Amino acid sequence: YPLEYVIESMAPTTERDFDLLSLERQRVYRQLQSANIHGSPDGPWFFIIARNDPDAQKFELIGITDTSMLRPQVFALQDGEVQIGLVCSEKQAIDATLQSLAAEDSRFCPVADLYWNARGGSATDGGSFIFSLEPHNGQRVLTCKDKFGTPKVVPWYQRPWDGTVPEIGEEPDEELTRQVAALLEDVSGQEFFQWVKPRVLKWSYASFVDVLQTAVAQARKGDNLKAAAINGLTLLLDRRYDPGDKKRSHLLRLIMDALTSIFQDTPKIGKAKKSRFHRVDWDTRDKLAHPTQADQVLVLDAAAFPPEGDDCDARFLCRAFELGWRQFITYGYKGQRFLGCGFGLNTDEVRIDAYGSTGDYLASGIDGMTIQIHGNAQDQLGQIMKRGKLVIHGDVGQTFMYGAKGGEVYVLGNAAGRPLINAVGRPRVVINGTALDFLAESFMAGDPFKGGGFVIVNGLEYDARGRIRPQATPYPGSNLFSLASGGAIYVRDPYNQLVDEQLNGGELVPLTDADWELILPYLQENEKLFDIDIEKDLLTVDGDIRPPAEVYRKVRPVKLAILTKVEDSWE
């Protein structure tokens, strides 16, 4: 068998995805399934297979995701002086691998150029990706293709950072220093960000690093400058813009290095310095005391804390909250779990800004607090979330908001499989990308017009130049709003790509004025958080601004026959 047919025999394409295949593939796949369906694994699984093909003189690493999307599988690719392809169960494992490699070899970057999830048994990528290492012009070259042979590539014109760092000596660039200092008078960081953003396109890495170092130097001069520098650099980390001939992954690495320098410069807890910011790490955790003023910020270096248990960073933050701390900046994460959990009821005054590779179960069960994740998030976020605000400046992993009861949540990128399953109450969620499959299965969030919940799916993505664009389809899978009994899904679908076959217990209906009035405040907040303009990015289709009813479609639940029979039997 060709590799494609082997993968099809193990992870068969079914349902609507089968119908989307070409007629020739349907013919072959039907025969493969007839012969091999008994050998296809059932239940939750995924495979990572290493293969040596001596005839072709190549090595392969193959990742295959189960067709039910019950197990997450994350892929990553880094290209440059050296190439590396990675397959892991979670993004945090990829981050840990890259950080370890970068610490030993400067040719590696701790941030991958591309991260993505596979959609098991799909007509889009086949739920499988193959990294191949094969000879080419006397060297071995790494390539990545999906099951159907479609390549994953990094933009050829973008080059990595070579490691050069300009030295700021006793006489730094006075003009640049004055410029940055003036920009940082705006504590929000917006003026600094708006000045840097259009210049990144033409700057060299050296110029970019020079500006970052100048901002770090200014942050040492006082709390207001520190806050402005943190806010400005965070906007550079979170927002999308054209990097020119530079790799976004390397820019993110440099920005995070600058932020880490500012965090590390913060006085340690217990030091007699007049500052709103106080830093604590594993070695100084026993020195934690009550804050002396309400606006103090606890900066936590989580690197050395265990991932879970009584001594983990999540439990430490709970103790800090009990002592009176309400504002937190956390960084250095290496997959530590449960951030934001365990604080208890009515935590509206709490805000956590998290940097690094945060772990599973973040924000699960929160009641009122605000958490911002400055980067991609992991699996099981916001489970049984009651109230509060969660902002993810990237993608989110598997089973996001399982059983959630409420909360206001914004996701810049995509959600992996099975988000918002069994959610009830009034969760209100904006996903600017899409979800792989089983979005809001068994959603039970009541009537959206009477305080119930809903999900907005914009189906957008960014290209390598930081430009926003629609994805190939606003929702690629089946089982959208499957068996839901309450709530609604609002999908940006100006070309009517969603079809009834993708639903199981829901129905597509036109958007009404009342629907638009309901979701508009959340799209306005989404615009503030991510700079996704309602008119320019959401309502503009083929160059023209359209009425909301021509852009968005609504999926609402219908009363299923089986449930109607049960209710009738009760009567």
Side-chain angles (χ1 to χ4, degrees), residues 3 25-26 55 127-128 139 237 363 446:
L3 182 57
R25 271 207 170 97
Q26 288 185 29
D55 293 335
S128 181
Q139 302 182 50
L237 188 73

Side-chain angles (χ1 to χ4, degrees), residues 231-287:
N231 292 335
L233 292 173
T234 298
L235 286 168
L236 281 174
L237 188 73
D238 293 341
R239 296 286 175 85
R240 302 301 190 266
Y241 42 86
D242 192 345
D245 63 351
K246 298 169 290 297
K247 286 178 175 285
R248 175 172 169 79
S249 56
H250 287 256
L251 295 181
L252 295 180
R253 179 236 189 109
L254 293 169
I255 296 165
M256 198 60 238
D257 286 348
L259 280 165
T260 300
S261 294
I262 294 174
F263 299 151
Q264 292 291 106
D265 285 341
T266 301
K268 285 190 175 182
I269 195 85
K271 298 289 184 180
K273 288 190 176 182
K274 293 182 179 180
S275 174
R276 290 194 299 113
F277 298 87
H278 298 269
R279 182 168 65 90
V280 64
D281 56 17
W282 176 254
D283 294 332
T284 57
R285 67 191 186 283
D286 294 332
K287 296 182 180 180

Side-chain angles (χ1 to χ4, degrees), residues 152 240 395 412-414 432-434 458-464 466-473 492 532:
K152 276 281 185 180
R240 302 301 190 266
D395 297 330
L412 176 61
N414 297 320
N432 287 289
T434 188
N458 285 327
L460 302 173
E461 64 183 5
Y462 290 90
D463 67 12
R467 297 171 297 199
I468 201 164
R469 65 187 181 188
Q471 297 193 21
T473 176
R492 185 183 184 275
I532 296 177

